[in-house]
Amino acid sequence: MPSILSVLSLGFILNCSSVPVKNPQIQREWLLVSFEDYAKQDLIKYKAGINLTVPVESGKIRGNAYMGCNRMFFSSEFKNNGTLKISGLGSTMMACPDMKLEDDFSKSFKNMTSYSLEGHFLTVKDDQGNTLKFVAADWD
């Protein structure tokens, strides 16, 4: 009996170790609260945000973003040393009356190179000091 229990325990441990580790601090939905000269109420009106809840694959999170019109998609790598790499940014191609936020976000977001987490806030920056600040969507 102990050998069967040992084999079952070992199988359980090995299966658990192959499950991708989720980082609950980063892998959340984030609402954009600060970006360039946009008013916070406008960001809220457009439901501006990013979704990083997809499981990590090969060290990357396939994310998506929404800035009021098109669905955007991208690949992101959040390294433990605070560096960030955004790649493969693309979007659907709907024409909307006001796409300025979406255009500005796309141009800026792909250049982000670092990140920091402070409480329920995620801040991403580029090499010129431009920032995007997000708050966790599940935070009250």
Side-chain angles (χ1 to χ4, degrees):
M1 184 76 165
S3 63
I4 292 173
L5 193 54
S6 297
V7 169
L8 290 174
S9 295
L10 181 61
F12 178 73
I13 291 169
L14 290 175
N15 281 336
C16 287
S17 66
S18 65
V19 173
V21 176
K22 186 169 181 174
N23 182 340
Q25 289 184 306
I26 293 173
Q27 289 180 266
R28 307 166 91 158
E29 288 188 47
W30 296 95
L31 303 175
L32 185 59
V33 293
S34 177
F35 174 49
E36 293 179 352
D37 294 330
Y38 288 94
K40 186 176 178 180
Q41 58 266 29
D42 288 334
L43 299 173
I44 292 168
K45 178 179 80 174
Y46 288 116
K47 299 178 184 169
I50 60 175
N51 183 334
L52 301 174
T53 60
V54 174
V56 175
E57 287 184 27
S58 302
K60 297 178 182 181
I61 302 170
R62 294 202 43 81
N64 61 67
Y66 182 75
M67 298 292 137
C69 181
N70 288 289
R71 293 280 170 197
M72 291 176 263
F73 45 87
F74 57 89
S75 183
S76 59
E77 292 179 76
F78 289 82
K79 304 284 184 169
N80 289 337
N81 63 0
T83 59
L84 170 64
K85 182 178 179 186
I86 303 294
S87 59
L89 182 64
S91 74
T92 57
M93 303 295 284
M94 295 188 308
C96 298
D98 183 6
M99 295 180 59
K100 183 171 175 11
L101 173 60
E102 183 175 309
D103 291 340
D104 291 345
F105 177 84
S106 295
K107 290 174 189 167
S108 183
F109 189 62
K110 66 183 177 187
N111 297 317
M112 297 294 133
T113 57
S114 65
Y115 75 96
S116 62
L117 289 165
E118 297 170 26
H120 295 283
F121 292 95
L122 168 66
T123 303
V124 297
K125 296 181 182 182
D126 66 15
D127 293 336
Q128 288 71 45
N130 299 308
T131 63
L132 296 164
K133 189 170 186 177
F134 301 88
V135 67
D138 58 352
W139 186 65
D140 292 325

Coordinates of all heavy atoms in Angstrom, one line a residue, residues 26-29 50-65 71-78 85-91 109:
I26 N 0.7 40.6 -12.0 CA 0.8 41.1 -13.3 C -0.4 40.6 -14.2 O -1.0 41.4 -14.9 CB 2.1 40.8 -14.0 CG1 3.2 41.5 -13.4 CG2 2.0 41.1 -15.5 CD1 4.6 41.1 -13.8
Q27 N -0.7 39.3 -14.1 CA -1.7 38.7 -14.9 C -3.1 39.0 -14.4 O -3.8 38.2 -13.8 CB -1.5 37.2 -15.0 CG -0.2 36.9 -15.8 CD 0.0 35.5 -15.9 OE1 0.8 34.9 -15.2 NE2 -0.6 34.8 -16.9
R28 N -3.6 40.2 -14.7 CA -4.8 40.8 -14.4 C -5.4 41.6 -15.5 O -4.7 41.9 -16.5 CB -4.7 41.7 -13.1 CG -4.0 41.1 -12.0 CD -3.6 42.2 -11.0 NE -4.7 42.3 -10.0 CZ -4.5 42.9 -8.8 NH1 -3.3 43.3 -8.5 NH2 -5.5 43.0 -7.9
E29 N -6.6 42.1 -15.3 CA -7.1 43.2 -16.2 C -6.7 44.5 -15.6 O -6.8 44.7 -14.4 CB -8.6 43.0 -16.3 CG -9.0 41.8 -17.2 CD -10.5 41.8 -17.5 OE1 -11.0 42.9 -17.9 OE2 -11.1 40.8 -17.3
I50 N -5.9 47.2 -20.6 CA -5.3 46.0 -21.1 C -5.7 44.8 -20.3 O -6.0 44.9 -19.1 CB -3.7 46.1 -21.2 CG1 -3.1 46.3 -19.8 CG2 -3.3 47.2 -22.1 CD1 -1.6 46.4 -19.7
N51 N -5.6 43.6 -21.0 CA -6.0 42.3 -20.3 C -4.7 41.4 -20.4 O -4.3 41.1 -21.5 CB -7.2 41.7 -21.0 CG -7.6 40.4 -20.3 OD1 -6.8 39.7 -19.7 ND2 -8.9 40.1 -20.5
L52 N -4.2 41.0 -19.3 CA -3.0 40.2 -19.2 C -3.3 38.9 -18.5 O -2.4 38.3 -17.9 CB -1.9 40.9 -18.5 CG -1.4 42.2 -19.1 CD1 -0.4 42.9 -18.2 CD2 -0.8 42.0 -20.5
T53 N -4.5 38.4 -18.6 CA -4.9 37.2 -17.9 C -4.7 35.9 -18.6 O -4.8 34.8 -18.0 CB -6.5 37.3 -17.5 OG1 -7.2 37.3 -18.7 CG2 -6.8 38.5 -16.7
V54 N -4.2 35.9 -19.8 CA -3.9 34.6 -20.5 C -2.7 34.0 -19.9 O -1.7 34.7 -19.5 CB -3.6 34.9 -22.0 CG1 -3.2 33.7 -22.8 CG2 -4.9 35.5 -22.6
P55 N -2.6 32.6 -19.8 CA -1.5 32.0 -19.2 C -0.2 32.3 -19.9 O -0.2 32.5 -21.1 CB -1.8 30.5 -19.3 CG -3.3 30.4 -19.4 CD -3.7 31.7 -20.1
V56 N 0.9 32.3 -19.2 CA 2.3 32.5 -19.7 C 2.7 31.3 -20.6 O 2.5 30.2 -20.2 CB 3.3 32.7 -18.6 CG1 4.7 32.8 -19.2 CG2 3.0 33.9 -17.7
E57 N 3.2 31.6 -21.8 CA 3.7 30.6 -22.7 C 5.1 31.0 -23.1 O 5.2 32.1 -23.7 CB 2.8 30.4 -23.9 CG 1.5 29.7 -23.6 CD 0.7 29.5 -24.9 OE1 1.3 29.4 -26.0 OE2 -0.5 29.4 -24.8
S58 N 6.1 30.2 -22.9 CA 7.5 30.5 -23.2 C 7.9 31.8 -22.7 O 8.6 32.6 -23.4 CB 7.7 30.5 -24.8 OG 7.3 29.2 -25.3
G59 N 7.5 32.2 -21.5 CA 7.9 33.4 -20.8 C 7.1 34.7 -21.3 O 7.4 35.8 -20.9
K60 N 6.1 34.5 -22.2 CA 5.4 35.6 -22.7 C 3.9 35.5 -22.4 O 3.3 34.4 -22.2 CB 5.5 35.6 -24.2 CG 6.9 35.8 -24.7 CD 7.0 35.8 -26.2 CE 8.4 36.0 -26.7 NZ 8.5 36.0 -28.2
I61 N 3.3 36.7 -22.2 CA 1.8 36.8 -22.0 C 1.2 37.4 -23.2 O 1.6 38.5 -23.6 CB 1.5 37.7 -20.8 CG1 2.2 37.2 -19.5 CG2 0.0 37.8 -20.6 CD1 2.1 38.1 -18.3
R62 N 0.3 36.7 -23.9 CA -0.4 37.3 -25.0 C -1.6 38.1 -24.4 O -2.5 37.6 -23.8 CB -1.0 36.2 -25.9 CG 0.1 35.4 -26.6 CD -0.3 34.6 -27.8 NE -1.1 35.4 -28.7 CZ -0.7 36.3 -29.6 NH1 0.6 36.6 -29.7 NH2 -1.5 36.8 -30.5
G63 N -1.4 39.4 -24.6 CA -2.4 40.3 -24.0 C -3.3 41.0 -25.1 O -3.0 40.8 -26.3
N64 N -4.3 41.7 -24.6 CA -5.1 42.4 -25.5 C -5.4 43.8 -24.9 O -5.3 43.9 -23.7 CB -6.3 41.7 -26.0 CG -7.3 41.3 -24.9 OD1 -7.9 42.2 -24.3 ND2 -7.4 40.0 -24.6
A65 N -5.8 44.7 -25.7 CA -6.1 46.1 -25.2 C -7.3 46.6 -25.9 O -7.7 46.2 -27.0 CB -4.9 47.0 -25.5
R71 N -10.1 46.2 -31.1 CA -9.4 45.3 -30.1 C -8.0 45.2 -30.6 O -7.7 44.9 -31.8 CB -10.1 43.9 -30.1 CG -11.5 43.8 -29.6 CD -11.4 43.8 -28.1 NE -12.8 44.0 -27.6 CZ -13.0 44.4 -26.3 NH1 -12.0 44.6 -25.5 NH2 -14.2 44.6 -25.9
M72 N -7.1 45.4 -29.7 CA -5.7 45.3 -30.0 C -5.1 44.0 -29.4 O -5.7 43.6 -28.4 CB -4.9 46.5 -29.5 CG -5.2 47.8 -30.3 SD -4.4 49.2 -29.6 CE -5.7 49.9 -28.6
F73 N -4.1 43.5 -29.9 CA -3.4 42.3 -29.4 C -1.9 42.5 -29.4 O -1.4 43.2 -30.3 CB -3.9 41.0 -30.1 CG -3.9 41.2 -31.6 CD1 -2.8 41.0 -32.4 CD2 -5.1 41.6 -32.3 CE1 -2.8 41.1 -33.7 CE2 -5.1 41.8 -33.6 CZ -3.9 41.6 -34.4
F74 N -1.2 41.8 -28.5 CA 0.2 42.0 -28.4 C 0.8 40.8 -27.6 O 0.1 40.1 -27.0 CB 0.6 43.3 -27.8 CG 0.0 43.5 -26.4 CD1 0.7 43.1 -25.3 CD2 -1.3 44.1 -26.3 CE1 0.1 43.2 -24.0 CE2 -1.9 44.2 -25.0 CZ -1.2 43.8 -23.9
S75 N 2.1 40.7 -27.6 CA 2.8 39.8 -26.8 C 3.7 40.6 -25.8 O 4.2 41.6 -26.2 CB 3.7 38.9 -27.7 OG 4.3 37.9 -26.9
S76 N 3.7 40.2 -24.6 CA 4.5 40.9 -23.6 C 5.4 40.0 -22.8 O 5.0 38.8 -22.5 CB 3.6 41.7 -22.7 OG 2.7 40.8 -22.0
E77 N 6.5 40.5 -22.4 CA 7.5 39.8 -21.5 C 7.8 40.7 -20.4 O 8.5 41.7 -20.5 CB 8.8 39.4 -22.3 CG 8.6 38.4 -23.4 CD 9.9 38.1 -24.1 OE1 10.7 37.4 -23.5 OE2 10.0 38.6 -25.2
F78 N 7.4 40.3 -19.2 CA 7.6 41.0 -18.0 C 8.8 40.3 -17.2 O 8.5 39.2 -16.7 CB 6.4 41.1 -17.1 CG 5.3 42.0 -17.6 CD1 4.4 41.6 -18.5 CD2 5.2 43.3 -17.1 CE1 3.4 42.4 -19.0 CE2 4.2 44.1 -17.5 CZ 3.3 43.7 -18.5
K85 N 9.1 43.9 -22.6 CA 9.2 43.9 -24.0 C 7.8 43.7 -24.6 O 7.2 42.7 -24.2 CB 10.2 42.8 -24.5 CG 10.3 42.8 -26.0 CD 11.3 41.8 -26.5 CE 11.3 41.8 -28.0 NZ 12.2 40.7 -28.5
I86 N 7.4 44.6 -25.4 CA 6.1 44.5 -26.1 C 6.4 44.2 -27.6 O 7.2 44.9 -28.2 CB 5.3 45.8 -26.0 CG1 5.1 46.2 -24.6 CG2 4.0 45.7 -26.8 CD1 4.2 45.3 -23.7
S87 N 5.8 43.2 -28.1 CA 6.0 42.8 -29.5 C 4.7 42.4 -30.2 O 3.7 42.1 -29.5 CB 7.0 41.8 -29.7 OG 6.7 40.6 -29.0
G88 N 4.7 42.4 -31.5 CA 3.5 41.9 -32.3 C 2.2 42.6 -32.1 O 1.1 42.1 -32.1
L89 N 2.3 44.0 -31.8 CA 1.1 44.8 -31.6 C 0.3 44.9 -32.9 O 0.9 45.3 -34.0 CB 1.5 46.2 -31.1 CG 0.4 47.1 -30.8 CD1 -0.5 46.6 -29.6 CD2 0.9 48.5 -30.4
G90 N -0.9 44.5 -32.9 CA -1.8 44.6 -34.0 C -3.2 44.9 -33.5 O -3.5 45.0 -32.3
S91 N -4.1 45.1 -34.5 CA -5.5 45.3 -34.0 C -6.5 45.0 -35.1 O -6.1 44.8 -36.3 CB -5.7 46.8 -33.7 OG -5.7 47.6 -34.8
F109 N 2.6 52.5 -26.6 CA 2.7 51.2 -25.9 C 3.8 50.3 -26.4 O 4.5 49.6 -25.7 CB 1.3 50.5 -25.9 CG 1.2 49.3 -25.1 CD1 1.4 49.4 -23.7 CD2 1.0 48.1 -25.6 CE1 1.3 48.3 -22.9 CE2 0.9 46.9 -24.8 CZ 1.0 47.0 -23.4

